[in-house]
């Protein structure tokens, strides 16, 4: 009799342990437990910690309440100004109602992913290329609203949507590079022209001041000589003031002009007849001497 009672107690204890193991569940801090009893949703969502369910009657589904980071695959589209682009994005969302996420949608992750892809393609078609490249904050807000509207009924809240990259064709990149280069060159020319204008005004003011004070020009000349000599060059370039040349020219014009003297007449050579006469007057001794020589 005692042995039968001991055996029955062991059987009951073993059944209790098995029942406890089958009914025990642990829900983590970042999870919530949704219980379906015979297929019907139990409104009491199980919080984090140790909990129990009825074995073979209840089914516990754990829902992650953390923020999920999901990349949106790159989508090809044509912008409003007829430019082919390839855009990819990233979406941040979290579950705010675990019961709705289990009951209202089969797979809330897949649903959010598909909704993000279709919304991204719609945003591409409604936007210009310049908006995609420079006005992303506005596009991100519009994309977030488009995804968040249907996701509210799934117990999912869209936290943030960011356009990650915009890929352009190579021809469009080269065209944009040429446009940016031309704009930079235009700005550089305008800046140079402005600098020349300011420099010319300053030089005109300096010339006006130097014209009133002649000594200032000499000081400026000496400063230029000192600046050139400081470079330790073998050749010294000394500027010659134009005013000095003009002074010398005026001084030359002021000198009295001297009268020009008549040129001397050239000496006349004796003609050939006179030469013959002079030769005939020579004596015989001189002629013989000449022959002997």
């Amino acid at each position: 009799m005692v042995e039968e009672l001991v055996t029955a107690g062991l059987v009951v204890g073993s059944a209790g342990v098995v029942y406890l193991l089958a009914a025990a569940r642990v829900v983590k801090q970042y999870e919530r437990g949704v219980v379906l009893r015979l297929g019907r949703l139990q409104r009491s969502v199980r919080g984090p910690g140790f909990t129990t369910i009825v074995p073979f009657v209840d089914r516990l589904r754990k829902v992650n309440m953390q923020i999920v980071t999901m990349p949106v695959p790159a989508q090809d589209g044509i912008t409003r100004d007829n430019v082919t682009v390839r855009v990819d994005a990233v979406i941040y969302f979290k579950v705010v109602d675990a019961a709705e996420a289990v009951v209202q949608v089969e797979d809330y992750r897949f649903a959010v992913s598909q909704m993000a892809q279709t919304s991204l393609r719609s945003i591409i078609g409604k936007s210009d290329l310049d908006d995609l490249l420079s006005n992303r904050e506005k596009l991100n807000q519009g994309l977030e609203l488009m995804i968040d509207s249907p996701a509210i009924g799934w117990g999912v809240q869209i936290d943030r949507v960011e356009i990650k990259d915009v890929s352009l064709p190579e021809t469009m990149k080269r065209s944009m590079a040429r446009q940016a280069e031309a704009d930079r060159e235009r700005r550089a020319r305008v800046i140079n022209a402005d600098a020349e204008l300011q420099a010319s005004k300053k030089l005109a003011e300096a010339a006006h001041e130097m014209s009133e004070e002649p000594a200032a020009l000499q000081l400026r000349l000496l400063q230029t000589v000192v600046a050139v000599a400081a470079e330790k060059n073998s050749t010294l370039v000394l500027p010659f003031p134009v005013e000095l040349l003009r002074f010398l020219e005026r001084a030359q014009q002021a000198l009295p002009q001297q009268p020009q003297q008549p040129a001397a007449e050239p000496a006349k050579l004796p003609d050939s007849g006179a030469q013959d006469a002079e030769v005939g007057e020579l004596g015989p001794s001189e002629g013989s001497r000449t022959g002997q020589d």
Side-chain angles (χ1 to χ4, degrees):
M1 186 68 180
V2 176
E3 294 179 356
E4 293 178 356
L5 292 176
V6 172
T7 303
L10 292 175
V11 170
V12 172
S14 301
V17 172
V18 172
Y19 179 85
L20 183 62
L21 293 176
R25 295 289 186 274
V26 175
V27 180
K28 298 179 181 180
Q29 180 66 36
Y30 54 86
E31 293 177 340
R32 297 295 183 270
V34 179
V35 179
L36 298 175
R37 178 168 296 172
L38 297 176
R40 175 171 291 184
L41 176 66
Q42 299 295 314
R43 290 298 176 182
S44 59
V45 178
R46 306 297 173 87
F50 179 80
T51 185
T52 59
I53 60 174
V54 179
F56 310 108
V57 176
D58 294 343
R59 181 183 177 185
L60 179 67
R61 290 190 58 178
K62 299 178 182 179
V63 180
N64 193 337
M65 306 296 290
Q66 291 177 316
I67 296 177
V68 180
T69 304
M70 178 181 295
V72 181
Q75 302 295 314
D76 294 328
I78 300 177
T79 61
R80 190 168 58 182
D81 50 354
N82 298 325
V83 179
T84 303
V85 294
R86 185 179 180 87
V87 182
D88 58 351
V90 60
I91 182 173
Y92 304 88
F93 67 94
K94 63 180 179 180
V95 177
V96 294
D97 192 340
E100 295 292 334
V102 172
V103 175
Q104 297 297 330
V105 63
E106 180 181 2
D107 187 352
Y108 66 90
R109 289 175 178 265
F110 181 75
V112 171
S113 176
Q114 294 300 313
M115 179 59 64
Q117 294 180 33
T118 55
S119 300
L120 182 58
R121 293 177 67 91
S122 178
I123 284 292
I124 293 174
K126 295 179 180 179
S127 305
D128 295 331
L129 180 61
D130 294 338
D131 293 336
L132 288 175
L133 296 177
S134 60
N135 196 11
R136 293 189 180 182
E137 291 295 333
K138 183 178 179 180
L139 297 180
N140 292 337
Q141 295 176 2
L143 189 59
E144 180 180 349
L145 291 176
M146 293 179 65
I147 302 174
D148 194 36
S149 298
I152 293 178
W154 304 337
V156 177
Q157 179 182 355
I158 305 300
D159 187 69
R160 191 174 182 84
V161 180
E162 293 285 346
I163 295 177
K164 186 165 56 175
D165 188 21
V166 178
S167 300
L168 300 175
E170 293 297 329
T171 56
M172 180 58 64
K173 290 181 180 179
R174 289 194 294 268
S175 299
M176 295 176 65
R178 289 195 298 267
Q179 179 184 0
E181 183 178 357
D183 184 66
R184 291 284 182 179
E185 185 177 358
R186 178 184 62 82
R187 291 168 58 187
R189 290 183 177 180
V190 170
I191 293 173
N192 289 333
D194 191 13
E196 291 292 339
L197 178 60
Q198 295 180 7
S200 63
K201 291 181 179 179
K202 293 299 181 181
L203 289 175
E205 294 177 3
H208 180 69
E209 293 294 334
M210 289 182 180
S211 64
E212 295 181 356
E213 295 292 338
L217 183 60
Q218 300 297 329
L219 293 176
R220 183 58 182 166
L221 175 61
L222 294 177
Q223 290 178 358
T224 305
V225 173
V226 172
V228 174
E231 298 295 333
K232 297 181 180 180
N233 296 326
S234 60
T235 303
L236 179 61
V237 180
L238 182 62
F240 199 78
V242 180
E243 286 75 6
L244 183 58
L245 294 177
R246 293 176 179 174
F247 172 76
L248 295 176
E249 183 180 359
R250 289 193 299 267
Q252 183 67 26
Q253 293 177 357
L255 291 176
Q257 296 182 358
Q258 298 179 359
Q260 297 181 357
Q261 298 179 358
E265 295 182 357
K268 294 183 178 180
L269 296 177
D271 53 358
S272 59
Q275 291 180 0
D276 294 338
E278 290 177 0
V279 174
E281 292 177 357
L282 292 176
S285 60
E286 292 178 358
S288 62
R289 186 181 300 172
T290 303
Q292 293 177 2
D293 295 337

